[in-house]
């Protein structure tokens, strides 16, 4: 467990050293420099007055002290006119008698990526991740908040970095525990992450918890071919399901299959009606799965409760070049895409489906300056995905990541994306210790 949680020398570049079971969760130094909230100026002062070391006797003279809030890197915080007090000495005898349940409740509120820095404190804390009491408290506290998980292969070695939106910091997660055939990032839900790949000629899927470094391979499907997959976790029921549908390039005659973790098997359901899919992107919200279709034009909806498909005649906006379905909270379903045939007139827009009128209603547009920064070329590829009314845009050609909060109507750039791998696969991720793979 040595070195857990220590800052890495190059978190977005070379592979860092690994540990056995829990792994070493390292904070990205190269990315950290971009997200430090308060930073001194980096330019050199060549004025002759800078050579004179005069004492500032003003009562409002600025004092710079070193702090380390919440276990993060040291930051320079400016205070004015405040006396610097010595560190408060903590009584070991008092803190050693802290009740077990109170300690677990405190640790359960620590950000997940910080927990690994505490494991080396003592033997008691080192076994905290296997403590059922701690996991119970952890499951009851509010989520750490959304994160972005990037995954790529580097010389047959799996690499992963996670950007914490609440902490605005990149962390490296070792993924050497995964088998080599795990190549495609399917998605994430409820703290679990799903991967698929080809082991020789056999198509396989697995589900893992990146925090606990636990994983397991799922049984083969009845029709074991490469399919579109989506992971759905039910935290209340402590179970998950994996839905396999027809692929845009694959066999359209295959039945829909659903894996249930409680039954540990796949069940067969209705074959998707003969449609011409226009995208492999799917969205899951309100126990329904949605796909885009060109003929018949609109959406195909799969109902989990009935195990059947329905067509929704929701016509797409005119001049839509590429569309992504994004699931929001509750019943909200968004459509994101570019509008305009010519590069000078293109724009990125967001629509929401009006379920009553079955029409797409425009709710927002990406600011033109953000659009030109994200996509320099009219035909440039971008990725779009969402979670909990947050929509993320990524363009690895430009090394940019842009986040849109649907509720707050706020656009914000994600720092450090330029340091990620060109061929990274990305999804939203919610870090949880209590997410079980069984």
């Amino acid at each position: 467990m040595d070195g857990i949680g220590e800052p890495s020398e190059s978190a977005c570049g070379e592979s860092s050293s690994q540990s056995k079971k829990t792994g070493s969760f390292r904070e990205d130094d190269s990315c950290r420099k971009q997200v430090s909230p308060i930073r001194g100026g980096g330019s050199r002062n060549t004025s002759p007055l800078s050579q004179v070391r005069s004492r500032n006797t003003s009562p409002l003279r600025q004092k710079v002290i070193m702090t380390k809030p919440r276990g993060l890197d040291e930051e320079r915080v400016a205070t004015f006119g405040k006396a610097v007090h010595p560190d408060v000495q903590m009584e070991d005898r008092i803190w050693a008698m802290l009740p077990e349940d109170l300690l677990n409740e405190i640790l359960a509120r620590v950000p997940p990526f910080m927990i690994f820095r505490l494991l080396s404190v003592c033997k008691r804390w080192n076994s905290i991740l296997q403590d059922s009491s701690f996991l119970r408290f952890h499951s009851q506290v509010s989520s750490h908040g959304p994160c972005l998980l990037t995954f790529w292969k580097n010389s047959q070695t799996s690499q992963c970095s996670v950007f914490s939106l609440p902490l605005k910091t990149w962390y490296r997660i070792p993924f050497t525990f995964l088998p080599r055939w795990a190549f495609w990032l399917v998605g994430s839900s409820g703290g679990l992450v799903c991967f698929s790949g080809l082991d020789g000629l056999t198509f396989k899927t697995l589900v893992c918890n990146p925090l606990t470094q636990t994983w397991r391979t799922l049984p083969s499907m009845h029709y074991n071919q490469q399919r579109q997959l989506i992971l759905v976790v039910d935290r209340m029921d402590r179970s998950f399901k994996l839905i396999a549908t027809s692929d845009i390039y694959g066999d359209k005659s295959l039945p829909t299959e659903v894996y249930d973790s409680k039954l540990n098997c796949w069940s067969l359901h209705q074959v998707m009606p003969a449609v011409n899919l226009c995208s492999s992107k799917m969205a899951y919200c309100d126990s329904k799965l949605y796909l885009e279709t060109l003929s018949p034009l609109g959406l195909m909806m799969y109902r989990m409760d009935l195990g059947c498909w329905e067509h929704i005649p929701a016509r797409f906006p005119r001049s839509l070049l590429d569309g992504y379905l994004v699931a929001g909270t509750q019943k909200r379903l968004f459509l994101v895409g570019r509008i305009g045939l010519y590069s000078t007139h293109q724009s990125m827009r967001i629509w929401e489906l009006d379920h009553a009128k079955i029409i797409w209603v425009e709710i927002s547009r990406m600011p033109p300056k953000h659009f030109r920064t994200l996509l320099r070329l009219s035909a440039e590829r971008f990725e779009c995905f969402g979670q909990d009314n947050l929509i993320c845009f990524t363009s690895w050609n430009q090394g940019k990541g842009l986040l849109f909060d649907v509720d707050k109507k706020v656009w914000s750039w994600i720092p450090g994306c330029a340091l990620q791998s060109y061929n990274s696969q990305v999804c939203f991720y919610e870090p949880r210790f209590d997410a079980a793979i069984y």
Side-chain angles (χ1 to χ4, degrees):
M1 305 302 291
D2 295 338
I4 291 178
E6 294 299 324
S8 63
E9 295 181 359
S10 179
C12 295
E14 298 294 331
S15 176
S16 59
S17 61
Q18 315 294 337
S19 64
K20 294 181 180 178
K21 176 71 175 176
T22 57
S24 57
F25 290 70
R26 297 168 176 244
E27 188 172 336
D28 287 7
D29 286 350
S30 54
C31 303
R32 181 182 59 214
K33 295 177 182 178
Q34 302 182 30
V35 298
S36 180
I38 300 178
R39 183 73 62 177
S43 59
R44 181 183 178 187
N45 186 357
T46 58
S47 170
L49 294 178
S50 64
Q51 307 298 326
V52 182
R53 298 183 178 179
S54 59
R55 180 184 180 188
N56 184 1
T57 57
S58 169
L60 295 178
R61 65 181 183 273
Q62 180 174 337
K63 300 176 183 178
V64 178
I65 61 174
M66 304 300 292
T67 64
K68 184 176 286 189
R70 300 182 64 182
L72 291 177
D73 311 305
E74 292 184 345
E75 303 170 344
R76 292 189 176 274
V77 181
T79 60
F80 297 85
K82 295 182 180 179
V84 180
H85 299 284
D87 293 338
V88 178
Q89 297 296 326
M90 303 183 69
E91 293 288 343
D92 296 341
R93 180 180 56 83
I94 297 177
W95 289 98
M97 296 187 297
L98 196 65
E100 187 79 19
D101 57 344
L102 183 56
L103 174 62
N104 287 331
E105 186 167 359
I106 293 174
L107 293 178
R109 300 177 187 276
V110 176
F113 301 109
M114 303 301 174
I115 287 290
F116 291 90
R117 296 187 178 184
L118 307 178
L119 299 184
S120 59
V121 173
C122 61
K123 293 182 179 180
R124 179 185 178 192
W125 288 18
N126 189 43
S127 60
I128 192 72
L129 298 183
Q130 288 75 43
D131 190 340
S132 59
S133 178
F134 165 77
L135 295 177
R136 185 178 69 255
F137 279 108
H138 178 73
S139 64
Q140 296 172 354
V141 300
S142 57
S143 171
H144 166 73
C147 298
L148 293 180
L149 185 146
T150 65
F151 173 81
W152 70 98
K153 286 278 190 176
N154 183 12
S155 299
Q156 298 301 316
T157 302
S158 301
Q159 306 286 337
C160 177
S161 291
V162 173
F163 180 74
S164 169
L165 293 177
L167 300 179
K168 292 182 172 54
T169 306
W170 285 95
Y171 295 92
R172 170 65 58 86
I173 299 182
F175 261 41
T176 53
F177 65 93
L178 290 181
R180 287 193 173 185
W181 57 260
F183 185 81
W184 295 296
L185 172 62
V186 173
S188 174
S189 176
L192 298 180
V193 181
C194 181
F195 291 90
S196 66
L198 292 174
D199 186 8
L201 298 178
T202 305
F203 181 70
K204 290 185 175 183
T205 56
L206 67 82
V207 174
C208 71
N209 184 333
L211 284 184
T212 60
Q213 307 276 278
T214 55
W215 64 281
R216 72 180 177 105
T217 304
L218 303 185
S220 298
M221 292 180 284
H222 293 85
Y223 297 86
N224 200 37
Q225 300 182 24
Q226 185 173 341
R227 313 277 289 276
Q228 290 190 79
L229 301 169
I230 192 166
L231 176 67
V232 181
V233 171
D234 187 344
R235 287 193 57 211
M236 299 298 296
D237 196 34
R238 296 186 60 82
S239 64
F240 65 88
K241 293 183 178 181
L242 196 63
I243 309 172
T245 68
S246 299
D247 189 83
I248 186 173
Y249 304 110
D251 189 350
K252 305 295 191 304
S253 63
L254 296 179
T256 303
E257 299 194 36
V258 178
Y259 172 81
D260 190 330
S261 63
K262 284 197 167 183
L263 303 176
N264 192 32
C265 65
W266 294 86
S267 56
L268 296 175
H269 298 271
Q270 180 189 11
V271 177
M272 183 189 300
V275 296
N276 184 11
L277 299 175
C278 62
S279 173
S280 295
K281 303 297 181 182
M282 301 184 291
Y284 183 89
C285 65
D286 191 33
S287 299
K288 300 179 181 66
L289 181 65
Y290 295 90
L291 294 93
E292 302 172 71
T293 62
L294 287 177
S295 58
L297 190 63
L299 302 173
M300 287 302 298
M301 179 184 71
Y302 178 74
R303 297 190 55 172
M304 287 287 292
D305 55 347
L306 300 178
C308 63
W309 291 91
E310 297 178 12
H311 176 253
I312 301 178
R315 301 181 64 86
F316 298 121
R318 296 183 59 183
S319 302
L320 180 66
L321 298 181
D322 39 26
Y324 287 84
L325 291 177
V326 176
T329 56
Q330 298 177 352
K331 298 182 179 181
R332 304 186 71 177
L333 182 66
F334 305 110
L335 174 66
V336 180
R338 284 182 288 193
I339 286 287
L341 299 178
Y342 304 100
S343 59
T344 55
H345 296 94
Q346 281 188 7
S347 63
M348 190 80 71
R349 306 188 188 185
I350 303 174
W351 299 266
E352 182 175 356
L353 180 63
D354 186 325
H355 293 273
K357 299 180 180 179
I358 315 180
I359 58 173
W360 292 104
V361 180
E362 184 177 331
I363 61 173
S364 185
R365 298 187 183 186
M366 182 182 294
K369 62 178 182 180
H370 290 351
F371 179 77
R372 290 191 296 268
T373 303
L374 184 72
L375 302 175
R376 299 290 179 87
L377 303 175
S378 59
E380 191 167 351
R381 185 178 66 89
F382 74 98
E383 294 290 334
C384 179
F385 48 94
Q387 175 180 298
D388 296 339
N389 293 348
L390 292 176
I391 301 177
C392 183
F393 303 80
T394 58
S395 172
W396 298 119
N397 287 344
Q398 302 300 330
K400 301 292 183 181
L402 184 61
L403 192 69
F404 177 62
D405 191 317
V406 176
D407 296 328
K408 298 179 181 179
K409 305 294 182 183
V410 174
W411 298 85
S412 57
W413 291 103
I414 302 171
C417 287
L419 301 175
Q420 303 304 308
S421 176
Y422 170 79
N423 59 346
S424 293
Q425 305 172 63
V426 197
C427 69
F428 273 107
Y429 166 62
E430 178 190 0
R432 300 207 63 90
F433 287 108
D434 59 319
I437 60 175
Y438 296 99

